[in-house]
Amino acid sequence: MNWKIPRAGTWGGISLLIVALSSPHSLAKETPSAPWQQLRTVGQGEMNWLWFKLYDATLYSQSGRYEPGHYPQALTLTYARDIERSDLLTATAEEWQRLGLGSDADRLRWLDQLAALLPDVGAGDSLTFYVDEVGFGHFWWHDQPLGSLADPQFSAAFLAIWLADNSRDPALTRRLRGQL
């Protein structure tokens, strides 16, 4: 058989393919969907309780350095075991109390807001807390948005659990800050 393909058809098809491959829609697949994926790793470490690993933690910032109060920043926790939401909330409340963060009313309000957002976690689950440029906090669960809190005081208090000088695990804090 003698197939004749019109030149305009061949070049037209190639032109359409080139346009499709260079369109913003095709490039969107390469662009990070979660805002912290554009940040640089500051440090990482793991949290253990007795001989049990609880989670891996990674801190991110725009510069790749820990700069308190300079946002955006993000903290990702990847859990190694099942932990119920109520236990996460209790541990958070205890740390805020121990660190002296916020007033009693602030802590109660923050815990109520967290209770509406946080799920139970299981081994392999990933929870990211992203603080945007203005200090608002956004929770992401497996790279999907969970909800936001437009309260810079909450954001600072939540990050302080891991980053404060007097945190529960100073070695983890130093690792997250990139100091080890």
PDB file of all heavy atoms in Angstrom, residues 52-81:
ATOM      1  N   PHE A  52      10.525   2.799  72.585  1.00  0.00           N
ATOM      2  CA  PHE A  52       9.618   2.817  71.441  1.00  0.00           C
ATOM      3  C   PHE A  52       9.838   4.072  70.599  1.00  0.00           C
ATOM      4  O   PHE A  52       9.841   5.188  71.121  1.00  0.00           O
ATOM      5  CB  PHE A  52       8.150   2.828  71.898  1.00  0.00           C
ATOM      6  CG  PHE A  52       7.741   1.597  72.645  1.00  0.00           C
ATOM      7  CD1 PHE A  52       7.510   1.649  74.006  1.00  0.00           C
ATOM      8  CD2 PHE A  52       7.581   0.390  71.984  1.00  0.00           C
ATOM      9  CE1 PHE A  52       7.117   0.528  74.704  1.00  0.00           C
ATOM     10  CE2 PHE A  52       7.189  -0.747  72.667  1.00  0.00           C
ATOM     11  CZ  PHE A  52       6.959  -0.678  74.034  1.00  0.00           C
ATOM     12  N   LYS A  53       9.987   3.875  69.311  1.00  0.00           N
ATOM     13  CA  LYS A  53      10.023   5.015  68.391  1.00  0.00           C
ATOM     14  C   LYS A  53       8.593   5.491  68.178  1.00  0.00           C
ATOM     15  O   LYS A  53       7.708   4.704  67.836  1.00  0.00           O
ATOM     16  CB  LYS A  53      10.650   4.604  67.061  1.00  0.00           C
ATOM     17  CG  LYS A  53      10.695   5.724  66.049  1.00  0.00           C
ATOM     18  CD  LYS A  53      11.374   5.260  64.768  1.00  0.00           C
ATOM     19  CE  LYS A  53      11.324   6.302  63.697  1.00  0.00           C
ATOM     20  NZ  LYS A  53      11.978   5.839  62.462  1.00  0.00           N
ATOM     21  N   LEU A  54       8.361   6.803  68.378  1.00  0.00           N
ATOM     22  CA  LEU A  54       7.031   7.370  68.172  1.00  0.00           C
ATOM     23  C   LEU A  54       6.875   7.937  66.762  1.00  0.00           C
ATOM     24  O   LEU A  54       5.869   7.699  66.103  1.00  0.00           O
ATOM     25  CB  LEU A  54       6.746   8.465  69.200  1.00  0.00           C
ATOM     26  CG  LEU A  54       6.712   8.020  70.658  1.00  0.00           C
ATOM     27  CD1 LEU A  54       6.484   9.215  71.569  1.00  0.00           C
ATOM     28  CD2 LEU A  54       5.637   6.966  70.865  1.00  0.00           C
ATOM     29  N   TYR A  55       7.865   8.739  66.325  1.00  0.00           N
ATOM     30  CA  TYR A  55       7.768   9.355  65.007  1.00  0.00           C
ATOM     31  C   TYR A  55       9.115   9.909  64.566  1.00  0.00           C
ATOM     32  O   TYR A  55      10.017  10.106  65.370  1.00  0.00           O
ATOM     33  CB  TYR A  55       6.721  10.478  64.975  1.00  0.00           C
ATOM     34  CG  TYR A  55       6.899  11.551  66.026  1.00  0.00           C
ATOM     35  CD1 TYR A  55       7.862  12.558  65.888  1.00  0.00           C
ATOM     36  CD2 TYR A  55       6.094  11.582  67.151  1.00  0.00           C
ATOM     37  CE1 TYR A  55       8.018  13.542  66.852  1.00  0.00           C
ATOM     38  CE2 TYR A  55       6.240  12.558  68.114  1.00  0.00           C
ATOM     39  CZ  TYR A  55       7.203  13.540  67.966  1.00  0.00           C
ATOM     40  OH  TYR A  55       7.354  14.513  68.922  1.00  0.00           O
ATOM     41  N   ASP A  56       9.210  10.150  63.276  1.00  0.00           N
ATOM     42  CA  ASP A  56      10.312  10.910  62.675  1.00  0.00           C
ATOM     43  C   ASP A  56       9.801  12.329  62.480  1.00  0.00           C
ATOM     44  O   ASP A  56       8.635  12.526  62.134  1.00  0.00           O
ATOM     45  CB  ASP A  56      10.715  10.330  61.314  1.00  0.00           C
ATOM     46  CG  ASP A  56      11.398   8.986  61.432  1.00  0.00           C
ATOM     47  OD1 ASP A  56      12.346   8.885  62.231  1.00  0.00           O
ATOM     48  OD2 ASP A  56      10.979   8.042  60.731  1.00  0.00           O
ATOM     49  N   ALA A  57      10.672  13.303  62.700  1.00  0.00           N
ATOM     50  CA  ALA A  57      10.289  14.714  62.546  1.00  0.00           C
ATOM     51  C   ALA A  57      11.270  15.390  61.600  1.00  0.00           C
ATOM     52  O   ALA A  57      12.471  15.119  61.646  1.00  0.00           O
ATOM     53  CB  ALA A  57      10.305  15.409  63.906  1.00  0.00           C
ATOM     54  N   THR A  58      10.742  16.287  60.762  1.00  0.00           N
ATOM     55  CA  THR A  58      11.567  17.071  59.852  1.00  0.00           C
ATOM     56  C   THR A  58      11.079  18.506  59.875  1.00  0.00           C
ATOM     57  O   THR A  58       9.880  18.760  59.761  1.00  0.00           O
ATOM     58  CB  THR A  58      11.489  16.534  58.407  1.00  0.00           C
ATOM     59  OG1 THR A  58      11.832  15.143  58.401  1.00  0.00           O
ATOM     60  CG2 THR A  58      12.441  17.285  57.490  1.00  0.00           C
ATOM     61  N   LEU A  59      12.020  19.438  60.029  1.00  0.00           N
ATOM     62  CA  LEU A  59      11.710  20.864  60.001  1.00  0.00           C
ATOM     63  C   LEU A  59      12.184  21.455  58.689  1.00  0.00           C
ATOM     64  O   LEU A  59      13.285  21.142  58.217  1.00  0.00           O
ATOM     65  CB  LEU A  59      12.391  21.591  61.168  1.00  0.00           C
ATOM     66  CG  LEU A  59      12.143  23.105  61.237  1.00  0.00           C
ATOM     67  CD1 LEU A  59      10.681  23.397  61.572  1.00  0.00           C
ATOM     68  CD2 LEU A  59      13.073  23.751  62.259  1.00  0.00           C
ATOM     69  N   TYR A  60      11.366  22.328  58.108  1.00  0.00           N
ATOM     70  CA  TYR A  60      11.667  22.999  56.842  1.00  0.00           C
ATOM     71  C   TYR A  60      11.561  24.510  57.014  1.00  0.00           C
ATOM     72  O   TYR A  60      10.751  24.992  57.796  1.00  0.00           O
ATOM     73  CB  TYR A  60      10.666  22.594  55.751  1.00  0.00           C
ATOM     74  CG  TYR A  60      10.550  21.118  55.520  1.00  0.00           C
ATOM     75  CD1 TYR A  60       9.623  20.353  56.223  1.00  0.00           C
ATOM     76  CD2 TYR A  60      11.361  20.481  54.585  1.00  0.00           C
ATOM     77  CE1 TYR A  60       9.509  18.994  56.013  1.00  0.00           C
ATOM     78  CE2 TYR A  60      11.240  19.119  54.362  1.00  0.00           C
ATOM     79  CZ  TYR A  60      10.320  18.376  55.075  1.00  0.00           C
ATOM     80  OH  TYR A  60      10.202  17.032  54.864  1.00  0.00           O
ATOM     81  N   SER A  61      12.360  25.233  56.259  1.00  0.00           N
ATOM     82  CA  SER A  61      12.228  26.693  56.203  1.00  0.00           C
ATOM     83  C   SER A  61      12.606  27.154  54.806  1.00  0.00           C
ATOM     84  O   SER A  61      13.156  26.384  54.011  1.00  0.00           O
ATOM     85  CB  SER A  61      13.124  27.376  57.244  1.00  0.00           C
ATOM     86  OG  SER A  61      14.472  27.365  56.840  1.00  0.00           O
ATOM     87  N   GLN A  62      12.352  28.407  54.543  1.00  0.00           N
ATOM     88  CA  GLN A  62      12.661  28.943  53.221  1.00  0.00           C
ATOM     89  C   GLN A  62      14.169  28.989  52.987  1.00  0.00           C
ATOM     90  O   GLN A  62      14.654  28.674  51.911  1.00  0.00           O
ATOM     91  CB  GLN A  62      12.050  30.330  53.073  1.00  0.00           C
ATOM     92  CG  GLN A  62      11.983  30.793  51.637  1.00  0.00           C
ATOM     93  CD  GLN A  62      10.955  31.895  51.469  1.00  0.00           C
ATOM     94  OE1 GLN A  62      10.699  32.667  52.379  1.00  0.00           O
ATOM     95  NE2 GLN A  62      10.365  31.963  50.296  1.00  0.00           N
ATOM     96  N   SER A  63      14.919  29.359  54.008  1.00  0.00           N
ATOM     97  CA  SER A  63      16.374  29.506  53.862  1.00  0.00           C
ATOM     98  C   SER A  63      17.139  28.211  54.108  1.00  0.00           C
ATOM     99  O   SER A  63      18.318  28.130  53.786  1.00  0.00           O
ATOM    100  CB  SER A  63      16.884  30.561  54.853  1.00  0.00           C
ATOM    101  OG  SER A  63      16.733  30.089  56.183  1.00  0.00           O
ATOM    102  N   GLY A  64      16.473  27.210  54.714  1.00  0.00           N
ATOM    103  CA  GLY A  64      17.173  25.993  55.097  1.00  0.00           C
ATOM    104  C   GLY A  64      17.857  26.131  56.452  1.00  0.00           C
ATOM    105  O   GLY A  64      18.587  25.245  56.866  1.00  0.00           O
ATOM    106  N   ARG A  65      17.600  27.242  57.132  1.00  0.00           N
ATOM    107  CA  ARG A  65      18.141  27.492  58.478  1.00  0.00           C
ATOM    108  C   ARG A  65      16.977  27.740  59.427  1.00  0.00           C
ATOM    109  O   ARG A  65      15.937  28.250  59.028  1.00  0.00           O
ATOM    110  CB  ARG A  65      19.063  28.709  58.479  1.00  0.00           C
ATOM    111  CG  ARG A  65      20.350  28.517  57.697  1.00  0.00           C
ATOM    112  CD  ARG A  65      21.276  29.733  57.795  1.00  0.00           C
ATOM    113  NE  ARG A  65      20.631  31.005  57.499  1.00  0.00           N
ATOM    114  CZ  ARG A  65      20.449  31.514  56.278  1.00  0.00           C
ATOM    115  NH1 ARG A  65      20.861  30.846  55.225  1.00  0.00           N
ATOM    116  NH2 ARG A  65      19.860  32.679  56.124  1.00  0.00           N
ATOM    117  N   TYR A  66      17.187  27.425  60.697  1.00  0.00           N
ATOM    118  CA  TYR A  66      16.165  27.712  61.693  1.00  0.00           C
ATOM    119  C   TYR A  66      16.287  29.163  62.115  1.00  0.00           C
ATOM    120  O   TYR A  66      17.321  29.603  62.602  1.00  0.00           O
ATOM    121  CB  TYR A  66      16.313  26.803  62.912  1.00  0.00           C
ATOM    122  CG  TYR A  66      15.348  27.160  64.018  1.00  0.00           C
ATOM    123  CD1 TYR A  66      13.975  27.093  63.805  1.00  0.00           C
ATOM    124  CD2 TYR A  66      15.810  27.578  65.250  1.00  0.00           C
ATOM    125  CE1 TYR A  66      13.085  27.436  64.806  1.00  0.00           C
ATOM    126  CE2 TYR A  66      14.920  27.915  66.260  1.00  0.00           C
ATOM    127  CZ  TYR A  66      13.564  27.847  66.034  1.00  0.00           C
ATOM    128  OH  TYR A  66      12.686  28.185  67.025  1.00  0.00           O
ATOM    129  N   GLU A  67      15.227  29.923  61.886  1.00  0.00           N
ATOM    130  CA  GLU A  67      15.154  31.324  62.272  1.00  0.00           C
ATOM    131  C   GLU A  67      13.821  31.518  62.987  1.00  0.00           C
ATOM    132  O   GLU A  67      12.780  31.615  62.340  1.00  0.00           O
ATOM    133  CB  GLU A  67      15.235  32.223  61.034  1.00  0.00           C
ATOM    134  CG  GLU A  67      16.533  32.028  60.248  1.00  0.00           C
ATOM    135  CD  GLU A  67      16.536  32.805  58.944  1.00  0.00           C
ATOM    136  OE1 GLU A  67      16.739  34.036  58.996  1.00  0.00           O
ATOM    137  OE2 GLU A  67      16.314  32.176  57.892  1.00  0.00           O
ATOM    138  N   PRO A  68      13.843  31.549  64.342  1.00  0.00           N
ATOM    139  CA  PRO A  68      12.596  31.649  65.104  1.00  0.00           C
ATOM    140  C   PRO A  68      11.749  32.832  64.655  1.00  0.00           C
ATOM    141  O   PRO A  68      12.238  33.941  64.492  1.00  0.00           O
ATOM    142  CB  PRO A  68      13.069  31.844  66.547  1.00  0.00           C
ATOM    143  CG  PRO A  68      14.487  31.380  66.567  1.00  0.00           C
ATOM    144  CD  PRO A  68      15.029  31.595  65.188  1.00  0.00           C
ATOM    145  N   GLY A  69      10.468  32.562  64.435  1.00  0.00           N
ATOM    146  CA  GLY A  69       9.525  33.615  64.071  1.00  0.00           C
ATOM    147  C   GLY A  69       9.590  34.065  62.629  1.00  0.00           C
ATOM    148  O   GLY A  69       8.809  34.917  62.217  1.00  0.00           O
ATOM    149  N   HIS A  70      10.503  33.504  61.837  1.00  0.00           N
ATOM    150  CA  HIS A  70      10.577  33.827  60.404  1.00  0.00           C
ATOM    151  C   HIS A  70       9.893  32.709  59.629  1.00  0.00           C
ATOM    152  O   HIS A  70      10.334  31.563  59.668  1.00  0.00           O
ATOM    153  CB  HIS A  70      12.034  33.979  59.942  1.00  0.00           C
ATOM    154  CG  HIS A  70      12.669  35.223  60.452  1.00  0.00           C
ATOM    155  ND1 HIS A  70      13.315  35.281  61.662  1.00  0.00           N
ATOM    156  CD2 HIS A  70      12.743  36.459  59.915  1.00  0.00           C
ATOM    157  CE1 HIS A  70      13.777  36.501  61.862  1.00  0.00           C
ATOM    158  NE2 HIS A  70      13.438  37.237  60.811  1.00  0.00           N
ATOM    159  N   TYR A  71       8.826  33.071  58.961  1.00  0.00           N
ATOM    160  CA  TYR A  71       8.031  32.089  58.235  1.00  0.00           C
ATOM    161  C   TYR A  71       8.098  32.366  56.740  1.00  0.00           C
ATOM    162  O   TYR A  71       8.416  33.474  56.355  1.00  0.00           O
ATOM    163  CB  TYR A  71       6.579  32.151  58.731  1.00  0.00           C
ATOM    164  CG  TYR A  71       6.468  31.942  60.219  1.00  0.00           C
ATOM    165  CD1 TYR A  71       5.940  32.932  61.046  1.00  0.00           C
ATOM    166  CD2 TYR A  71       6.908  30.768  60.807  1.00  0.00           C
ATOM    167  CE1 TYR A  71       5.838  32.741  62.420  1.00  0.00           C
ATOM    168  CE2 TYR A  71       6.816  30.572  62.183  1.00  0.00           C
ATOM    169  CZ  TYR A  71       6.285  31.558  62.973  1.00  0.00           C
ATOM    170  OH  TYR A  71       6.191  31.371  64.324  1.00  0.00           O
ATOM    171  N   PRO A  72       7.869  31.361  55.925  1.00  0.00           N
ATOM    172  CA  PRO A  72       7.235  30.085  56.205  1.00  0.00           C
ATOM    173  C   PRO A  72       8.198  29.054  56.828  1.00  0.00           C
ATOM    174  O   PRO A  72       9.399  29.082  56.595  1.00  0.00           O
ATOM    175  CB  PRO A  72       6.757  29.604  54.846  1.00  0.00           C
ATOM    176  CG  PRO A  72       7.658  30.258  53.864  1.00  0.00           C
ATOM    177  CD  PRO A  72       8.057  31.566  54.481  1.00  0.00           C
ATOM    178  N   GLN A  73       7.592  28.172  57.613  1.00  0.00           N
ATOM    179  CA  GLN A  73       8.251  27.013  58.193  1.00  0.00           C
ATOM    180  C   GLN A  73       7.249  25.869  58.161  1.00  0.00           C
ATOM    181  O   GLN A  73       6.039  26.093  58.109  1.00  0.00           O
ATOM    182  CB  GLN A  73       8.639  27.249  59.660  1.00  0.00           C
ATOM    183  CG  GLN A  73       9.778  28.192  59.887  1.00  0.00           C
ATOM    184  CD  GLN A  73      10.110  28.317  61.381  1.00  0.00           C
ATOM    185  OE1 GLN A  73       9.762  27.458  62.193  1.00  0.00           O
ATOM    186  NE2 GLN A  73      10.767  29.394  61.726  1.00  0.00           N
ATOM    187  N   ALA A  74       7.768  24.664  58.234  1.00  0.00           N
ATOM    188  CA  ALA A  74       6.886  23.503  58.304  1.00  0.00           C
ATOM    189  C   ALA A  74       7.552  22.426  59.147  1.00  0.00           C
ATOM    190  O   ALA A  74       8.777  22.296  59.150  1.00  0.00           O
ATOM    191  CB  ALA A  74       6.575  22.965  56.913  1.00  0.00           C
ATOM    192  N   LEU A  75       6.735  21.678  59.843  1.00  0.00           N
ATOM    193  CA  LEU A  75       7.186  20.541  60.633  1.00  0.00           C
ATOM    194  C   LEU A  75       6.371  19.335  60.194  1.00  0.00           C
ATOM    195  O   LEU A  75       5.137  19.372  60.250  1.00  0.00           O
ATOM    196  CB  LEU A  75       6.973  20.798  62.125  1.00  0.00           C
ATOM    197  CG  LEU A  75       7.367  19.653  63.052  1.00  0.00           C
ATOM    198  CD1 LEU A  75       8.891  19.507  63.115  1.00  0.00           C
ATOM    199  CD2 LEU A  75       6.792  19.874  64.441  1.00  0.00           C
ATOM    200  N   THR A  76       7.054  18.288  59.747  1.00  0.00           N
ATOM    201  CA  THR A  76       6.382  17.059  59.345  1.00  0.00           C
ATOM    202  C   THR A  76       6.707  15.966  60.347  1.00  0.00           C
ATOM    203  O   THR A  76       7.872  15.757  60.683  1.00  0.00           O
ATOM    204  CB  THR A  76       6.816  16.611  57.934  1.00  0.00           C
ATOM    205  OG1 THR A  76       6.413  17.604  56.988  1.00  0.00           O
ATOM    206  CG2 THR A  76       6.181  15.285  57.547  1.00  0.00           C
ATOM    207  N   LEU A  77       5.666  15.291  60.811  1.00  0.00           N
ATOM    208  CA  LEU A  77       5.807  14.150  61.700  1.00  0.00           C
ATOM    209  C   LEU A  77       5.306  12.918  60.958  1.00  0.00           C
ATOM    210  O   LEU A  77       4.172  12.905  60.472  1.00  0.00           O
ATOM    211  CB  LEU A  77       4.989  14.350  62.977  1.00  0.00           C
ATOM    212  CG  LEU A  77       5.276  15.619  63.778  1.00  0.00           C
ATOM    213  CD1 LEU A  77       4.309  15.733  64.946  1.00  0.00           C
ATOM    214  CD2 LEU A  77       6.713  15.639  64.252  1.00  0.00           C
ATOM    215  N   THR A  78       6.159  11.897  60.870  1.00  0.00           N
ATOM    216  CA  THR A  78       5.769  10.637  60.253  1.00  0.00           C
ATOM    217  C   THR A  78       5.764   9.592  61.363  1.00  0.00           C
ATOM    218  O   THR A  78       6.820   9.259  61.916  1.00  0.00           O
ATOM    219  CB  THR A  78       6.725  10.244  59.116  1.00  0.00           C
ATOM    220  OG1 THR A  78       6.752  11.317  58.160  1.00  0.00           O
ATOM    221  CG2 THR A  78       6.272   8.972  58.431  1.00  0.00           C
ATOM    222  N   TYR A  79       4.594   9.116  61.680  1.00  0.00           N
ATOM    223  CA  TYR A  79       4.393   8.284  62.855  1.00  0.00           C
ATOM    224  C   TYR A  79       4.855   6.845  62.629  1.00  0.00           C
ATOM    225  O   TYR A  79       4.677   6.283  61.551  1.00  0.00           O
ATOM    226  CB  TYR A  79       2.926   8.331  63.286  1.00  0.00           C
ATOM    227  CG  TYR A  79       2.569   9.685  63.831  1.00  0.00           C
ATOM    228  CD1 TYR A  79       2.120  10.705  63.000  1.00  0.00           C
ATOM    229  CD2 TYR A  79       2.745   9.970  65.175  1.00  0.00           C
ATOM    230  CE1 TYR A  79       1.841  11.967  63.497  1.00  0.00           C
ATOM    231  CE2 TYR A  79       2.470  11.231  65.686  1.00  0.00           C
ATOM    232  CZ  TYR A  79       2.023  12.219  64.842  1.00  0.00           C
ATOM    233  OH  TYR A  79       1.756  13.471  65.328  1.00  0.00           O
ATOM    234  N   ALA A  80       5.415   6.262  63.684  1.00  0.00           N
ATOM    235  CA  ALA A  80       5.908   4.891  63.645  1.00  0.00           C
ATOM    236  C   ALA A  80       4.927   3.927  64.311  1.00  0.00           C
ATOM    237  O   ALA A  80       5.126   2.717  64.244  1.00  0.00           O
ATOM    238  CB  ALA A  80       7.264   4.801  64.339  1.00  0.00           C
ATOM    239  N   ARG A  81       3.898   4.473  64.953  1.00  0.00           N
ATOM    240  CA  ARG A  81       2.936   3.630  65.656  1.00  0.00           C
ATOM    241  C   ARG A  81       1.580   4.313  65.742  1.00  0.00           C
ATOM    242  O   ARG A  81       1.472   5.490  65.472  1.00  0.00           O
ATOM    243  CB  ARG A  81       3.428   3.259  67.041  1.00  0.00           C
ATOM    244  CG  ARG A  81       3.823   4.402  67.931  1.00  0.00           C
ATOM    245  CD  ARG A  81       4.345   4.024  69.277  1.00  0.00           C
ATOM    246  NE  ARG A  81       5.289   3.041  69.591  1.00  0.00           N
ATOM    247  CZ  ARG A  81       5.499   1.761  69.270  1.00  0.00           C
ATOM    248  NH1 ARG A  81       4.840   1.150  68.569  1.00  0.00           N
ATOM    249  NH2 ARG A  81       6.398   1.001  69.659  1.00  0.00           N
TER     250      ARG A  81
END
